[in-house]
Amino acid sequence: MDKIFLHGMRVSTLIGVYDWERQHKQELVFDLDIGVSARSVQHDDIAQTVHYGLVCERLRQDLAARDFLLLESLAEHTAQFLFAAFEPVQWLRIRIVKPGILPAVREVGVEIERNRV
C-alpha cells in the first residue's frame, strides 16, 4: 500500500462542548495519511489515485457546513466522508489538532486509523 499525505491542512468548523466554543468556528489542523493501492502508480493517471487538491476542497466545504461537539466525532465523520467521496482510499490515519484551546497546553487533539470495510 502506498500513502498520500496532507499535513498541516487548516480547516474551519464549529466544534466544542462549551458555549464559548460554539460562538464562532475554530481553525483546526488536520494531518491526513491516505492509503491507496500500489497499482495506482502504474498508469500515471490521476483518476487511478486520490487527487489531494480535491480532498482539501471537498473536506473544507463539507466541514464548513457542519458542527460537532467532539473531535472524536469529527474524526469519524472525516473518515466516512473520505471513504465515500474517494473510491481509491483503502486506509486512513487522521490526526486533528485544536491548537491553543487550553491555557499552558500547545495543542490537544485526536488521532484515528480506519480501513475501508
Side-chain angles (χ1 to χ4, degrees), residues 18-79:
Y18 298 110
D19 289 339
W20 58 268
E21 288 183 291
R22 303 196 60 75
Q23 292 177 8
H24 303 286
K25 290 182 179 181
Q26 296 180 53
E27 187 173 81
L28 305 173
V29 181
F30 280 63
D31 289 341
L32 303 175
D33 294 303
I34 302 169
V36 296
S37 168
R39 291 177 297 201
S40 67
V41 300
Q42 294 173 348
H43 303 288
D44 198 27
D45 180 2
I46 191 70
Q48 301 297 313
T49 188
V50 174
H51 188 310
Y52 47 81
L54 288 178
V55 169
C56 288
E57 180 184 319
R58 290 183 185 167
L59 187 58
R60 284 181 175 140
Q61 287 175 350
D62 180 70
L63 297 181
R66 298 184 179 278
D67 68 276
F68 301 89
L69 295 174
L70 303 175
L71 285 173
E72 294 86 345
S73 299
L74 170 58
E76 184 62 33
H77 170 81
T78 299

Side-chain angles (χ1 to χ4, degrees), residues 2-17:
D2 293 344
K3 292 181 191 173
I4 295 169
F5 65 89
L6 296 90
H7 291 175
M9 182 175 70
R10 299 193 179 276
V11 176
S12 293
T13 193
L14 191 60
I15 186 147
V17 294

